[in-house]
Amino acid sequence: VSGFVILLERSLRIGDFVRVDGFEGRVTDIKTRYTLVRASNGSESVVPNELLITQRVENLSLESPRFLLSTHYWLTHEADVVQVQGLLVRAAQQAPRVLDDPEPFAMLAEVAPEGLRFQLNFWIGDAASGHGLARSEVNVAVLAALRQAGVALAQASQSGTACRAAAPHT
């Protein structure tokens, strides 16, 4: 019955980019008993249609093809906040998959003993192509911009416990 509900309501369509039960990918086929969802890495998941009816399903391509991504960077306390925010935004704008509208933005998300944690938010228009490469492109551009400006990443603490994020991460 679930398969017929999905097919009749057209709540999911072949080509939609969805997130269900922790799995994210593009719907490649809808059968009466199951739906095939292919992740950007090529792995395919057989999702029972009952799950698509009874659990929360995020259709990431239904409303808009734009998809928000965030990255975080821990920098030393000496970093100039305004300068870093500008560097992060300009670096994101250089990445090929980052959209100009809405514009990327950076903020100081946390001040902690480990350093200053900045959050960079940016949008891509092709979530189905995967997030990893887009994040990598932005991280590479950010790292180059920070190095060129002489801005240091936070280091591991003296006690031997590593800073929560001593390098760019997501």
Side-chain angles (χ1 to χ4, degrees), residues 87-98 100 104 137-138 141-142 144-145:
L87 288 169
L88 295 177
V89 168
R90 285 189 298 278
Q93 290 169 329
Q94 293 174 6
R97 291 180 53 204
V98 173
D100 293 328
E137 290 168 344
V138 169
V142 164

Side-chain angles (χ1 to χ4, degrees), residues 91-161:
Q93 290 169 329
Q94 293 174 6
R97 291 180 53 204
V98 173
L99 298 176
D100 293 328
D101 184 29
E103 209 173 275
F105 67 93
M107 62 186 150
L108 178 59
E110 185 176 352
V111 177
E114 297 90 354
L116 306 176
R117 182 174 64 91
F118 288 85
Q119 179 174 329
L120 173 61
N121 297 307
F122 56 94
W123 286 260
I124 60 173
D126 57 345
S129 297
H131 310 151
L133 182 58
R135 277 194 182 103
S136 176
E137 290 168 344
V138 169
N139 283 335
V140 167
V142 164
L143 190 56
L146 293 174
R147 284 178 176 164
Q148 184 176 8
V151 177
L153 294 169
Q155 300 295 314
S157 70
Q158 296 296 336
S159 64
T161 55

Side-chain angles (χ1 to χ4, degrees), residues 2-3 6 29-37 45-50 52:
S2 302
I6 291 170
D29 199 5
I30 302 173
K31 304 285 187 190
T32 54
R33 290 187 9 211
Y34 62 88
T35 296
L36 293 175
V37 179
S45 181
V46 176
V47 181
N49 287 337
E50 180 181 355
L52 298 174

Side-chain angles (χ1 to χ4, degrees), residues 1-3 5-6 9 11 48-55 57:
V1 173
S2 302
V5 170
I6 291 170
E9 286 184 350
S11 56
N49 287 337
E50 180 181 355
L51 184 71
L52 298 174
I53 297 296
T54 60
Q55 293 204 3
V57 176

